[in-house]
Each structure stands twice: as C-alpha cells, then as structure tokens.
C-alpha cells in the first residue's frame, strides 16, 4: 500500500532519514517541511493519508509540532497523525489520546525509526486508523495501575503491554513466539479479569485497554 | 551580645541598662532633637516665606530651591544624630550625577526620590517630631522634678513629692523608649537597613535565574545537536542494514552497532532530561510532575491544582525539589507510595511531598541542602519532617511575584 505522507521535522539530517525510510517502503512523501506553520500549509494543500511530525519544532521551539497535529485533527478528524519525539512524556501522550475518537493516532520515541521495518509497519497501521503507543509509554501506564494488574500472570502482562501498544493478535503471537490461539486465550482471560468488554473489534479493544490504564 | 541600638540595650538588660551610657545618649538625642527641630522650623519657614514673597522677582525661586535642598542638610544632621542611639552606619545613597558641573548635580539631585523623601521627613520633623521630643522630656523629667521640688512645708504638697519620686526612676525608660521610636522612624525613612539585604536577595535570585537559563540552553543544545544527529545516524544505519540483508554478516554487524547506538542515545536522553525537563517549559509544572512520577518506580499520587502558570524559576525549583524528594524516597526510605501536592495560596506556592517510608532523611544531606538553598534564593522556605520510622514530609513555600 502506497501512502501519501507529509513529513515535518526541523533537523535536515533527520528529515532526510525519515523521507529515506518512507520512500524505501514505497510511500510517497508529498512534502517534507521544517516547521509547524509549513506543516499546516502542506497538510492543507496535499490532503495526505498520514502526517508524520516531530513534537519540538520552530517557530516556537516548544511543542509546536504537537499543537499543529492537534489543530490538523480538529479540521480533519479522520486524518491519521504519527507524532515523534526525542522524549516520551505521559503529558504529551495524554494530549494526543484525548483527541476525538483516537483513531489513527501514533506516538513514538524518535529512536524507533531506526528499527526501520517495524517503523514502516507502524506507519501503515496508523494510516489504517490504528492507535500505536510507544512501548515505553505503555510500560509507564502499566506501572501506574500496579495493584489491579498484579492479579495477571507475567505472560498476561506481556500480552497486555503489546495490546496497549496497538498490536494485532498475530503480531503479538509473533513477538512472543507463541501461537495465535494461545494469544487469543490470554486476551480473553485478561479482558475478563479487568472487566473489559470482550469484543471482536481489535481497535476498540486497544482503546478499552488504554482507557483502563489511564483511568 | 553588645547592643547596637538604645532599644536593644533597653530590652536585653532592663536593669543593667540604667548603669550604661544609653539613657544619657537617648537624653542627648531628644535634647538635640528639640534644638535642631526648633532651628529648622525657624530657618525653613523663614526661607519659605521669603521665597514666596520674592517669587515675582525671580530670586524667590532660588530661595525655594535652597529650601528644597535644605531638606538634605537636615537629613544629614539627623543621620549624624542617629549615631547617638543607633550604632549601625546610616549611609546616604543619593544618585551620583551623570555629568560634571553644578547644573548636572542639581538636575540629578532634583530627580532623586531620596531628595523628596528627605524633604518630607524634614517637614514632619519640624512640625511634629521635635514637639513630641519636648513633650516626652517635659513628662518624663520636668514633671517629676517639679513635683519633688514642691515646698515641703505645704501640707497639701507632700503627696506630690511622693508621686514625683515614684515617677523619676521611670524617666530613663520613657526617654529611651521614645528616642528609640524616633530613631527607628529616622532609619526607616532616611537610611533603610534592608536596602542592602534586598540587593543581596535580588542578586541571589538572579544567580538562580541565570543557572536555570543555562540549564535550558544546555538541554536545547543537546537536543538540537548531538541527540538529533545520533538518532539520524541510527536511522541511516537501519536503512543500511535493510540493504545489507538482515541475515548477512554485514547485517549482523550493523545490528550490533545499532544496539550500542540506541543505548548511547538513551543515556544521552536521560542526561538531558535531568538537566532540564522540556515539558516544564511547554506544558507547565503539573504536566512535568506527572511525567516525572510516571517514570518513578514508586507509585505516586500527583495532586496539582494551579490556576495560572508559575514564574519559570519557581516552577523549575518546585520540579527539582519533587525530583530530589522522590529520588530519596525511592533510594533510601523504602517507601511504598508517595504523594505530591501543590496549591497556590494567594500568591504563594505551597508544595508538599509525603512518603510512607522509614524516614530518617538527613536535612544536612547534599541534595536537601542544595534544594533548601535554591528555595531560599527564591525567598521561600523548605521544612522537612522525617522522624526515624517515618513518615517523611517535605513542605515548601515559595512566593510567586
């Protein structure tokens, strides 16, 4: 699947790297810009399938990229945005997860781009409406809810973390080197213990897990 | 401790005080106060009237100007007299003229607020203060003396002698009491004691501010420079690895390099976050504390309700106080949970960090002393209660103006 992507990143070297990875996986970068204002303009002009942006960017050198992404989503609630950051912070994640119906949201540590194959996979998932959270953010969320989660087995906790990152059952099975059937069994048990709705829709399941962890 | 002022002498050793020179100095202060006040009244009122009468001739303006500057002369005498009852130096700090010559001197002097303060003080001094001096002297000394010297052969007068004898020992206290009050007023208006202290405090605050700005700059340089570059290189390595083929010897070597590089980038990130947390600038104290506690292995409840963003230096001091307190709780006290609370009470930030650990935190420890210094530089206070066996409570108050 070839996607039309707008890339915003103020470091020229990093921008080149991002464009390199996206084109390597067959996507089309319709604009690669270096500040938040140019991002707003480019996204309006090209109507991309995905916006990939850094959080910290000119003109303010603050969280301008994040605010631009939020503004774009307000105009086009179905626009997938994948946000990259040098630091992972719960406060930035919360800002993104509070957006609309949370479809097509991604928040990753910039380092994850270096694992190019997985990153390319993430791009496609977010563009397809998935919610993808960095494992580090999920780890922090899991720690916060230590008490109710202590009833889960170590394996179930691993599965829960991967679910919260937004991975599919097949991807979870691959990551843990177990069968899909085993993963399904774990998921059923986790949802039941946490009192979450057992639902066929994978995306709604991710959201339920995230909502549970953040509450 | 040696008394530096008449009031201190009176308060510290009320009886021994009688044998010192202080009552006599206070007496001299009031007597000279009457003299100077009466003289000032005569001279300045005469000058004022002459000036007003001669104003149409033009010369009057010069006389009025002299009256205004006369306030400075009176103030100088008052400062000199102040030494009778207050040994601390009373310096004038009139602004230095910005150019040579009498005209520049005059212009600077007239624009100086101190000149007008001195004039105001002179006005109060000649209209009210010296009369008060006179009244106090009359009540404290003249009245008892008059009573005592009443003719004894008059049978109706001897109770007055008793009253006079009873009043006389009180005289040194009355005289010194009023002299001290008058001296305090003089000091407050003409030679504020806290001017120097305010400057020291301001320079400390500036130092902390500069320190904060420097930390922000270092973090920004790390973020925009080394961190960004290393991540970019890592991305390029990722692409190279893809080109080399994941299973090949070159691919495996690149894999290894990427792993090391990722670790290095992670360490650099932790370092730069410790220097200055970015979210503090972007989203404020509440968000930065949420992020801090999310990374803490200790479960922490954050309860921060602030109506408006805090000044940058207050916010960063508060942040580092919490960071240090939580680090201590995690490392030393074996706490099971902690709570961070921040509120704004009028214009003071009240911050508490509470943990259920075993206590025994050392207030003289390096981390806590450094924090107490930072808080003090922001004009705030830091209190620690950490009895052995716990719990530990850290309480910080900092003004936000």
């Amino acid at each position: 699947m070839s996607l039309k992507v707008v890339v915003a990143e103020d470091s020229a070297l990093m921008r080149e790297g991002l464009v390199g990875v996206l084109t390597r996986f067959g996507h089309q970068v319709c604009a690669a810009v270096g500040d938040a204002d140019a991002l707003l303009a480019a996204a309006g002009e090209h109507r991309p399938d995905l916006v990939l942006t850094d959080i910290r960017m000119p003109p303010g050198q603050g969280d301008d990229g994040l605010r631009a992404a939020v503004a774009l989503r307000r105009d086009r609630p179905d626009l997938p945005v994948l946000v990259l950051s040098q630091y992972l912070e719960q406060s930035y994640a919360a800002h993104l997860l509070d957006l609309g119906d949370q479809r097509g949201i991604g928040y990753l540590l910039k380092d994850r781009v270096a694992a190019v194959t997985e990153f390319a996979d993430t791009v496609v998932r977010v563009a397809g409406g998935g919610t993808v959270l960095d494992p580090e953010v999920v780890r922090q969320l899991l720690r916060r809810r230590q008490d109710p989660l202590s009833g889960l087995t170590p394996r179930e906790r691993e599965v829960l973390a991967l679910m919260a990152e937004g991975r599919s059952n097949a991807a979870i099975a691959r990551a843990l080197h177990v069968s899909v059937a085993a993963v399904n069994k774990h998921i059923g048990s986790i949802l039941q213990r946490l009192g979450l709705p057992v639902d066929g829709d994978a995306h709604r399941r991710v959201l339920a897990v995230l909502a549970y962890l953040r509450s | 401790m040696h008394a530096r002022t008449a009031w201190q002498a009176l308060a510290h050793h009320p009886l021994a005080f009688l044998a010192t020179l202080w009552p006599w100095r206070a007496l001299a202060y009031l007597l000279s106060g009457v003299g100077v006040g009466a003289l000032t009244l005569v001279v300045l009122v005469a000058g004022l009237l002459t000036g007003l009468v001669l104003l149409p001739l033009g010369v009057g303006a010069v006389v009025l100007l002299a009256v205004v500057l006369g306030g400075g002369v009176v103030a100088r005498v008052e400062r000199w007299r102040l030494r009778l009852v207050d040994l601390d130096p009373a310096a004038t700090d009139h602004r230095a003229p910005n150019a040579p010559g009498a005209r520049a001197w005059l212009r600077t002097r007239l624009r100086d607020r101190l000149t007008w303060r001195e004039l105001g003080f002179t006005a109060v001094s000649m209209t009210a203060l010296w009369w008060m001096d006179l009244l106090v002297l009359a009540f404290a000394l003249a009245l008892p003396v008059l009573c005592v010297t009443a003719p004894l052969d008059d049978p109706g007068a001897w109770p007055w002698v008793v009253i006079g004898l009873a009043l006389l020992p009180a005289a040194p206290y009355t005289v010194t009491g009023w002299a001290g009050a008058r001296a305090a007023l003089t000091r407050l208006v003409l030679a504020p004691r806290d001017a120097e202290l305010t400057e020291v405090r301001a320079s400390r605050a500036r130092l902390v501010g500069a320190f904060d700005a420097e930390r922000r700059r270092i973090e920004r340089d790390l973020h925009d420079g080394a961190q960004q570059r290393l991540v970019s290189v890592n991305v390029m390595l990722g692409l190279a690895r893809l080109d080399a083929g994941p299973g090949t010897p070159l691919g495996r070597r690149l894999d290894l390099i990427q792993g090391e590089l990722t670790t290095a980038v992670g360490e650099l990130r932790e370092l730069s976050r410790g220097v200055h947390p970015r979210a503090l600038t972007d989203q404020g104290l509440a968000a930065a504390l949420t992020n801090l506690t999310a990374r803490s292995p200790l479960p922490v409840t954050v309860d921060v309700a602030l109506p408006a963003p805090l000044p940058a230096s207050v916010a960063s001091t508060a942040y580092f106080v919490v960071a240090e307190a939580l680090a201590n709780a995690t490392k030393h006290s074996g706490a099971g949970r902690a709570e961070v609370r921040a509120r704004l009470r009028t214009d003071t930030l009240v911050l508490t960090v509470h943990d259920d650990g075993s206590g025994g935190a050392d207030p003289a420890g390096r981390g806590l002393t450094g924090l107490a210094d930072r808080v003090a530089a922001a004009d705030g206070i830091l209190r620690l209660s950490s009895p052995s066996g716990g719990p530990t409570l850290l309480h910080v108050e900092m003004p936000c103006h």
Side-chain angles (χ1 to χ4, degrees):
Chain A
M1 181 169 69
S2 174
L3 301 168
K4 272 169 61 184
V5 184
V6 166
V7 174
E9 161 65 58
D10 60 326
S11 148
L13 202 61
M14 187 67 201
R15 194 161 62 229
E16 205 177 297
L18 289 172
V19 172
V21 173
L22 289 171
T23 43
R24 180 72 164 67
F25 285 86
H27 304 301
Q28 183 205 341
V29 177
C30 38
V33 298
D35 65 76
D37 295 337
L39 166 61
L40 291 173
E45 185 189 332
H46 297 285
R47 305 209 48 91
D49 301 318
L50 176 88
V51 163
L52 176 61
T53 180
D54 185 11
I55 284 192
R56 188 151 152 192
M57 270 202 302
Q61 289 298 358
D63 53 357
D64 297 49
L66 180 64
R67 278 186 276 134
V70 171
L72 286 172
R73 274 290 280 232
R74 211 174 295 130
D75 285 353
R76 227 186 101 183
D78 62 337
L79 172 69
V81 290
L82 175 51
V83 174
L84 299 176
S85 170
Q86 198 78 265
Y87 304 102
L88 284 177
E89 303 288 12
Q90 290 297 343
S91 58
Y92 295 140
H95 211 75
L96 279 170
L97 289 174
D98 290 339
L99 274 182
D101 71 346
Q102 306 168 334
R103 276 186 180 272
I105 295 280
Y107 178 46
L108 284 187
L109 194 59
K110 227 182 236 183
D111 296 24
R112 313 286 180 213
V113 183
V116 288
T117 315
E118 279 184 42
F119 174 70
D121 178 47
T122 303
V123 167
V124 173
R125 268 194 291 151
V126 174
T131 305
V132 178
L133 272 193
D134 194 277
E136 175 59 30
V137 175
V138 170
R139 211 165 54 84
Q140 293 179 3
L141 284 174
L142 286 176
R143 203 161 47 205
R144 250 187 39 175
R145 300 290 308 238
Q146 231 162 13
D147 299 342
L149 296 184
S150 57
L152 301 182
T153 66
R155 177 61 92 183
E156 283 170 349
R157 288 172 63 92
E158 283 177 324
V159 173
L160 180 66
L162 292 169
M163 282 167 72
E165 284 170 31
R167 306 223 191 181
S168 67
N169 294 14
I172 295 173
R174 253 199 324 278
L176 298 177
H177 306 291
V178 296
S179 69
V180 177
V183 168
N184 285 338
K185 208 176 108 241
H186 286 310
I187 291 176
S189 150
I190 292 168
L191 295 178
Q192 201 178 4
R193 288 212 198 175
L194 300 184
L196 296 174
V198 184
D199 194 303
D201 183 339
H203 182 71
R204 277 172 62 188
R205 207 183 60 199
V206 174
L207 295 184
V209 169
L210 282 178
Y212 175 79
L213 289 178
R214 294 176 67 211
S215 66
Chain B
M1 192 185 85
H2 281 290
R4 304 284 303 163
T5 67
W7 261 1
Q8 282 175 7
L10 183 79
H12 291 161
H13 308 285
L15 280 178
F17 156 80
L18 288 176
T20 63
L21 277 178
W22 284 110
W24 300 102
R25 297 178 76 119
L27 181 65
Y29 187 62
L30 294 194
L31 284 173
S32 59
V34 174
V36 170
L39 191 66
T40 308
L41 184 65
V42 172
V43 172
L44 285 195
V45 167
L48 197 64
L49 290 177
T50 319
L52 288 176
V53 169
L54 295 183
L55 202 56
L57 299 177
V59 196
V62 179
V63 180
L64 286 181
L65 195 62
V67 169
V68 169
L69 296 175
V73 178
V74 175
R76 182 174 288 202
V77 174
E78 283 296 328
R79 285 194 194 94
W80 181 74
R81 270 188 350 100
L82 188 62
R83 283 193 288 182
L84 278 170
V85 285
D86 182 346
L87 299 183
D88 287 336
T92 48
D93 45 357
H94 272 294
R95 268 189 280 159
N98 43 18
R103 193 180 277 268
W105 180 86
L106 191 63
R107 202 166 39 229
T108 312
R109 207 28 94 84
L110 287 181
R111 280 191 192 146
D112 195 341
R113 278 179 55 195
L114 185 60
T115 304
W116 301 96
R117 276 168 84 99
E118 287 174 342
L119 187 64
F121 181 79
T122 303
V124 176
S125 175
M126 70 182 188
T127 48
L129 291 181
W130 75 272
W131 293 104
M132 299 283 286
D133 291 349
L134 199 60
L135 270 173
V136 170
L137 287 174
F139 176 77
L141 294 174
L143 185 65
V145 168
L146 266 180
C147 293
V148 170
T149 52
L152 268 180
D153 49 352
D154 181 355
W158 70 265
W160 290 108
V161 177
V162 175
I163 292 175
L165 284 174
L167 279 179
L168 210 51
Y173 297 100
T174 318
V175 168
T176 312
W178 166 244
R182 196 187 195 302
L185 181 68
T186 306
R187 179 166 283 287
L188 204 65
V189 179
L190 295 183
R193 208 189 284 275
D194 56 353
E196 211 172 317
L197 205 60
T198 310
E199 175 48 31
V200 170
R201 237 183 249 154
S203 88
R204 262 199 323 187
R206 276 199 300 275
L207 211 59
V208 170
F211 186 64
D212 271 341
E214 189 66 0
R215 289 179 84 121
R216 271 197 291 275
R217 189 190 62 76
I218 293 172
E219 188 275 337
R220 198 173 51 236
D221 287 356
L222 276 177
H223 175 274
D224 296 347
Q227 271 179 295
Q228 199 79 274
R229 221 170 272 274
L230 288 178
V231 172
S232 309
V233 168
N234 207 359
V235 172
M236 287 172 193
L237 278 174
L239 280 173
R241 200 183 62 156
L242 203 64
D243 289 339
T248 61
L250 179 61
R252 275 201 295 277
R253 203 171 300 165
L254 287 174
D255 214 13
L256 216 63
I257 297 174
Q258 266 207 304
E260 286 301 309
L261 193 56
T262 306
T263 310
V265 171
E267 285 172 0
L268 193 59
R269 180 169 42 245
E270 284 315 306
L271 178 73
S272 107
R273 178 148 49 194
V275 169
H276 176 80
R278 187 63 215 180
L280 193 56
T281 318
D282 291 345
Q283 298 183 308
L285 182 64
L289 288 180
T290 307
N291 298 337
L292 176 72
T293 52
R295 289 192 303 275
S296 160
L298 192 69
V300 186
T301 319
V302 181
D303 177 13
V304 176
L306 302 169
L310 300 170
S313 69
V314 174
S316 67
T317 302
Y319 176 86
F320 286 113
V321 165
V322 175
E324 177 70 22
L326 291 182
N328 282 344
T330 313
K331 267 189 272 172
H332 308 302
S333 82
R337 57 178 310 105
E339 191 189 328
V340 177
R341 214 181 121 90
R343 288 285 184 282
L344 205 61
R345 215 175 283 155
T346 49
D347 73 336
T348 301
L349 172 72
V350 181
L351 178 75
T352 53
V353 185
H354 186 268
D355 75 64
D356 64 354
S358 58
D362 180 12
R366 210 154 49 96
L368 275 175
T369 317
L371 287 175
D373 287 347
R374 267 195 78 126
V375 171
D379 239 352
I381 48 165
L382 180 149
R383 287 200 207 98
L384 174 75
S385 157
S386 185
S388 180
T392 298
L393 176 69
L394 188 72
H395 177 101
V396 172
E397 289 184 16
M398 276 184 287
C400 303
H401 40 67

